[in-house]
Amino acid sequence: MDKAFTERLEKIESVLSEFLPENPDSKWISAGFGDIPPCIHAGAIKNLSDPGKRLLNLGGKRWRPLLLVLCAEMTAAFFKEKKQQEPAVTEKNIRNAYLLTPLVEFCHTASLIHDDIEDHADIRRGEPAAHLVYGLDTAVNSAAWLYFEAAACIDAIAATNSKKNIFYQLYTKELRRLHLGQSLDIQWHRTPDLIPTIDEYTTMVRCKTGTLAALAVQTGILAGGGTRTQAARAGEIAAEIGIGFQILDDVQNLTTGNPGKQRGDDIVEGKKSLPVLLHLTAHPHDKSLIENLFSKAGKEGITSTAVEEFIGYLTKSDCITDARDSGCKLIYTGSRKLAAVYSGNAAAGAGSLIIRLFDQMTASFKNKQETGNV
């Protein structure tokens, strides 16, 4: 990424480390748990914090917290240019936006730990999944705690209690939607012969993946001084972008393979991704074949011949290419709609960074597809 983003990402990393430190001290413990008896040793605290901290340290694109900050900057720039926001208020609002970045990144991290458990996945970001490193019980408990810990950053911002309550309401609503989407996904991949419609798939992804993008954008706009109506409208746009990225993730799984994971493991897990649904829409007579390949891959694992046979059918029907084009279009269109939420020269300057962020990410995806470099 270019310098405009790296400087912001460095600030974001600093905030994430502050709210989830490598070695929790007494101040951090007190802020999170209140007064606790001295008999509770440090190991119990680290059992909670270490799995999430380890996954954060393994990387991640951080595009959601970056998008949060960019939306706050765009919103604040608009109101400042309209003389509806004093420079000191703008500065405070941007500072609040950075402080709120754990809200989306910690939630995302927790969801990945739980997702790996539910999908029986062994690898995440090139390393063993958290439940294999720390044990199933610790990983489940740690990720569940991290969902709650994510919201602790709301108490740190300079805002009225009523404004903080708005952030809490937004966060808990989107978190409930995330779990609804995951529930649908689990139901589908557990049942090989249950094939959702494309509309059902889109709804599932809007909840499971789109909700985090919507949370980032709405949080940023509210932090920047925007109204709840403006934030909600932008959140709908952001959800479409989130759907686009999930589609590209599905495509990558079936082509070059996702970074740190194995090509085709979505087939082993029984994922009814968009390429699969597009293929069945065009070739409904293949339903029994697809169901059998799902079942065989699920029983035999990633080395099953069913995995590459499955990918072969999808490749021949061009549904993987069609899904890729659909995902890229959602991101392209959504990013430009999002950048146009506020008018004016100042807002346009910040909005152009939003467009640049997503254009760079889709260009990177296309380059990896062309070169096979994951």
Side-chain angles (χ1 to χ4, degrees), residues 21-22 24 45-55 134 142:
E22 199 77 49
I45 304 297
K46 287 184 70 62
N47 276 344
L48 283 175
S49 63
D50 277 2
K53 184 64 178 179
R54 171 181 174 270
L55 187 51
Y134 298 97
S142 173

Side-chain angles (χ1 to χ4, degrees), residues 156-213:
I157 65 173
T160 62
N161 286 336
S162 60
K163 184 66 176 282
K164 291 179 180 180
N165 282 338
I166 291 173
F167 287 117
Y168 276 115
Q169 291 166 9
L170 170 64
Y171 176 69
T172 53
K173 181 191 73 176
E174 297 297 347
L175 200 56
R176 290 192 293 269
R177 289 169 63 87
L178 183 151
H179 283 80
L180 172 60
Q182 182 70 348
S183 177
L184 289 169
D185 196 21
I186 291 171
Q187 180 186 19
W188 297 342
H189 75 237
R190 277 187 173 182
T191 314
D193 61 351
L194 202 169
I195 307 296
T197 65
I198 292 177
D199 284 344
E200 288 172 330
Y201 163 86
T202 302
T203 300
M204 180 275 290
V205 176
R206 182 183 296 276
C207 290
K208 178 181 175 179
T209 307
T211 194
L212 289 178

